[in-house]
Amino acid sequence: WPNSIKELQRNWIGRSEGSNVSFHLPSLNEDLRVFTTRPDTLFGATYMVIAPEHPLVQKLVTNEQKILVGKYCDEASKKSDLDRTELNKEKTGVFIGEYAINPVNNSKIPIWISDYVIMSYGTGAIMAVPGQDQRDYDFAKKFDLSIVRTVEVPNGFDGEAYTGDGPAINSDFLNGLLIDEAKSTIIDWLEKEGKGERAIQFKLRDWLFSRQRYWGEPIPIVHINNKPTAIDESELPLLLPEVEKYEPAGTGESPLANIKNWVE
């Protein structure tokens, strides 16, 4: 593969280091787990967002919110992950009617559903920290949710969410620590209290290699007597034939299906 495509694939895998955190759900007497790369901002988690297809949605939604939540889930199911994340600039969501307990300060925070959270990454739920995340900030401003900064902004900063480094504020025993030290400290505390642990997540998605080559992906496997068989390494790479006509077979098969001598 060309280096440019290999680099795209590496980026698409998306390795993230952080921690899993447990938020207690009083109405169900169980925990909702989230993965975060910024556990140091836990004191600024003022609400939670779960994916519309999360299995806890139907358990958590209150009777008063069932119609709105059901309608929202139906609309979200018609969108692709790309529509819901990279292409989604306008934040939408619905309050589910229930609350979770922030594990570091025992504050009661509302649970929302929104299509910018997807099930294919992490646990399908996030802790929202609008002071330190722009998407969360936009959502909080739209729905009038609380915003608490947990990192001191530098002089002259007049933006919205602050994503840079700085000493922790409004964070109890983390106050004064820079991000890396604050992360390590809070993860140690979570593990000691049984409320979380260090974790690594991968955003593993099919990057659709076949779109990069007309023939499809390289062929390391052949079928002999209907049995998949690996081509010997000494015979790789398998070179494709030079042909005058490479239109599709018309049967739904690869264009190679027309080239009987080469295939057989």
Side-chain angles (χ1 to χ4, degrees):
W1 293 99
N3 286 332
S4 60
I5 289 181
K6 286 193 273 190
E7 189 59 31
L8 285 168
Q9 179 64 17
R10 289 189 192 101
N11 293 337
W12 198 239
I13 287 172
R15 184 181 191 275
S16 299
E17 296 185 12
S19 66
N20 291 321
V21 184
S22 297
F23 285 73
H24 190 63
L25 304 172
S27 64
L28 300 180
N29 195 28
E30 60 181 90
D31 291 338
L32 175 57
R33 302 270 284 173
V34 305
F35 171 77
T36 177
T37 59
R38 292 293 306 274
D40 57 297
T41 65
L42 259 166
F43 286 91
T46 56
Y47 64 98
M48 297 190 76
V49 184
I50 60 179
E53 59 271 44
H54 197 289
L56 284 180
V57 169
Q58 298 308 317
K59 293 182 180 179
L60 284 168
V61 63
T62 60
N63 289 332
E64 294 80 7
Q65 294 296 99
K66 270 188 177 179
I67 293 177
L68 282 176
V69 167
K71 182 179 179 182
Y72 188 87
C73 290
D74 182 60
E75 291 172 351
S77 69
K78 300 172 184 175
K79 300 179 182 179
S80 69
D81 285 358
L82 187 65
D83 291 330
R84 290 170 54 174
T85 53
E86 283 87 347
L87 301 180
N88 183 15
K89 304 300 181 184
E90 179 66 24
K91 294 294 175 287
T92 62
V94 176
F95 175 46
I96 210 165
E98 280 293 351
Y99 297 82
I101 303 300
N102 187 322
V104 295
N105 55 17
N106 293 319
S107 61
K108 187 178 176 183
I109 59 177
I111 304 171
W112 287 65
I113 59 169
S114 177
D115 60 11
Y116 80 91
V117 176
I118 57 177
M119 281 301 298
S120 60
Y121 180 66
T123 63
I126 67 164
M127 61 178 216
V129 185
Q132 266 48 75
D133 183 280
Q134 189 61 44
R135 292 188 310 171
D136 297 342
Y137 182 93
D138 293 341
F139 193 93
K141 291 297 286 185
K142 180 171 182 177
F143 295 105
D144 197 25
L145 297 166
S146 178
I147 299 174
V148 176
R149 291 199 186 276
T150 57
V151 178
E152 184 177 319
V153 300
N155 291 332
F157 176 80
D158 59 357
E160 298 172 337
Y162 177 65
T163 58
D165 202 353
I169 58 174
N170 301 317
S171 298
D172 198 1
F173 57 88
L174 298 181
N175 285 341
L177 301 180
L178 296 180
I179 289 176
D180 286 344
E181 188 178 359
K183 281 183 180 180
S184 180
T185 300
I186 191 63
I187 293 174
D188 288 343
W189 183 88
L190 289 167
E191 292 181 335
K192 180 182 177 182
E193 298 293 322
K195 296 180 178 181
E197 68 280 331
R198 285 174 173 79
I200 296 174
Q201 287 282 350
F202 294 91
K203 185 174 62 178
L204 294 169
R205 295 193 232 169
D206 179 8
W207 194 64
L208 299 178
F209 279 129
S210 57
R211 292 187 179 182
Q212 306 306 313
R213 297 170 181 245
Y214 180 73
W215 296 108
E217 298 183 43
I219 305 170
I221 302 291
V222 294
H223 287 76
I224 300 176
N225 297 324
N226 294 320
K227 181 180 179 181
T229 305
I231 295 175
D232 188 81
E233 189 172 349
S234 65
E235 297 181 40
L236 296 176
L238 175 65
L239 299 179
L240 296 170
E242 294 286 343
V243 296
E244 294 181 1
K245 181 180 179 182
Y246 49 86
E247 285 83 0
T251 61
E253 299 174 283
S254 161
L256 291 175
N258 288 328
I259 310 168
K260 300 294 184 183
N261 290 340
W262 185 87
V263 171
E264 295 172 4

